[in-house]
Amino acid sequence: MKTNTSKFIIAGALAMVFGQQFSGRAQSHPANDPVFQNLDKSVSPGADFFRYANGTWLKNNPIPPAYSSWGIGNVVSEDIRSRLKKINEDAINANAAKGTSTQKIGDFYYSGLDSVNIEKLGITAISEPLAKVDQITDVAGILSTVAYLNTVGARTFVSAGVGQDDKNSSKMMLQLNQGGLGLPNRDYYFKTDARTTKIRTDYTEKYIPNMFVLSGYTDEQAKAAAKSVFTIEKALADSSRKLEDLRDPYHNYNKMPVAQFNKLTPNINWKVVFTNMGIPNVDTVIVGQPEYYVAVNKYLKTFTIADWKAYLRWKVLTSYAPYLSKSFDQENFRFTGTVLSGRKVQLPRWKRVLDTENGIMGELLGQLFVQEYFPLKAKQRYTDLVEAIRQAYREHIAQLDWMSPETKQKALYKLNSIHAKVGYPDKWKDFSKLSIDRGSYAVNVMHARHWAYLNNINKLGKPVDHTEWNMTPQTYNANYEPSNNEITLPAAQFIIPGIKDEDIDDAVVYGYSAASTIGHEITHGFDDEGRQYDAKGNLKAWWTAADSVKFTQRAQVLVDQFNAYKVLDSLHVNGKACLGENIADLGGIVLGVDAFKKTKQYKEGKLINGLTPMQRFFLGYAIGWLGQQRDEELAGRILTDVHAPGFLRVNGPFSDVPEFYQAFGIKKGDAMWIDPDKRVKIW
């Protein structure tokens, strides 16, 4: 980031705004300050703290045409892309032996950049799955084709995979969930507002028929096929649960023998389907939404074989369009990129290929990435931060006035059992069986998806591998996995662009990393969904009934708070759908505050660029959500995302934190003000 030195003149003004007496306190004025250079002094922190903290950056960094949103995650990702590009270019020129990681990296990247060969192959690159669809003559053919398509990464109405049993986390089970839609989720098929209606009209009248024409259909055939596709998808959507309903782990856990599943769906012999998927001898499955598959069973006879062939052809086309010739790629981008997300142009081909490669075999790249960009010193810093947050959480649990001693004891046991994966894996995935060459880009993607599929289903019946990571070290993200009771914190998540880790003061790091990432993820173990899993990762009632009621009452206040936020047109935040994330945000902040209070920087109280340590903490947290979105993207996320928009992930929870009011002199009447008796306090 470039330093805006003209901002140094506002330190005195800030002193008046915050009601602090700064003149007698020691302070430094570093030029490369990650929080000071982003401040927008035209905005009062009590009016809109997100805009106050990040406004200058937002003004100076408009959303590029190729993106639907732009923020700190993009800046980090762009930097990582540049580094990974060098790794790939070196691999292309390495003349590496076949089967080595370098050969696979170089050949995959080469095939994706070889636009001449991609154009030459055209749709023939996916001739095998299309031929499978064309050969369907009956319901048995539909089901065998669906089974095959699942093995090569084409999304169909059967969404199956192997994962831990929610009620017995030591067992890996075959699980099925609702799926099969082409639009982002069920609400897109039914909402009647102008924005959603426009998207649905384009989908049915342009996107689907255009793609069928490109695949060789006449205009009339394409229109008929499009009608079949949308009719089936709308029926599937009508049988699908809403976003907020998918967050109830008990309601979405339905374990049953395959024989019982067959009785629910007599038109589907699941033993045969699973065998065709390469998963024989399955006797028990976990079905997330049984009513969805009951409906699928009916639709197999309701709709014609021709309807289903059109639907499955559509699934193949949309699953592989980005890796085919230019006409497919551009039409796919026109709808998914522009209509849905508001992007004006595509990313350059090298970035798109690199992103695909990163998603498919990112750990191969990650091994090289961490060697250079995440030294042991940084790994230790963030490992220590995990323990600082854990200790703060212990103290919070001990001091809760609404939780019984019985539940507190179990909560502390769960907290102490949380395993933290920091930076990068100690054991890397084995890609030796993945076959990649310089031939077809789409076929390479198909091979990689098939490898990932086999990697998943081969876990069935085997011990849980607790060393495996579910994201790469170069991923700007983090997560909590309830079945393992663990948090994963990739190296990239701790990067602040343009600043070395050792040059970032603790105040900013405690806000940016300890609160918004580490504290957030640990709190997920105790949010409305995560709290229902015990220390071993099992879905189990370990709270007293009275404590559960008290938790739910407090959580409902947070639901109501976020339901009231209007973000675009008539769209409000879905407070119930994003409750877990909001609990985690608030929990991360209050834990981060208390952990930071124990540091040398907080105790010394020295000013940096006129900002107190606690002010820098809150500003550091705000950097984590630095960014902005196009309206199309924002509208889509309100309907499909369990996270509130970034600006509300700052302003919303800060309004519930007493230290925020004290640090910035927030007064009654300010937009950020919430009366003390109405502020949310859970953890």
Side-chain angles (χ1 to χ4, degrees), residues 84-96 101-119 121 323 349-357 361 365 436-445:
L84 296 180
K85 181 184 181 186
K86 172 93 170 41
I87 292 172
N88 275 271
E89 290 172 342
D90 290 345
I92 285 178
N93 298 318
N95 195 27
S101 295
T102 299
Q103 175 264 317
K104 292 172 184 178
I105 289 171
D107 284 5
F108 186 92
Y109 193 59
Y110 182 95
S111 72
L113 295 182
D114 190 359
S115 56
V116 173
N117 190 50
I118 292 170
E119 289 301 314
L121 291 172
Y323 321 113
R349 175 169 283 277
W350 73 266
K351 290 187 179 182
R352 302 191 327 258
V353 174
L354 191 55
D355 287 351
T356 301
E357 180 188 48
M361 47 189 186
L365 298 170
I436 298 292
D437 58 34
R438 295 194 176 189
S440 166
Y441 181 39
V443 170
N444 276 339
V445 172

Side-chain angles (χ1 to χ4, degrees), residues 162-165 168-175 278-283 427 430 433 451-468 483-484:
V162 174
Q164 287 167 270
D165 185 335
N168 184 0
S169 64
S170 64
K171 291 197 68 174
M172 302 296 287
M173 297 287 298
L174 182 61
Q175 308 194 27
I279 322 174
N281 305 317
V282 178
D283 56 10
K427 174 186 172 184
D430 179 6
K433 294 183 179 180
W451 175 89
Y453 175 80
L454 293 176
N455 184 61
N456 176 253
I457 66 168
N458 286 336
K459 296 174 183 176
L460 188 64
K462 295 179 181 177
V464 176
D465 184 359
H466 291 286
T467 69
E468 184 177 21
S483 292
N484 283 335

Side-chain angles (χ1 to χ4, degrees), residues 227-244:
K227 183 177 180 181
S228 296
V229 168
F230 188 75
T231 301
I232 289 176
E233 287 189 358
K234 188 174 182 181
L236 294 174
D238 191 44
S239 305
S240 299
R241 293 182 186 173
K242 293 184 177 182
L243 182 64
E244 57 268 32

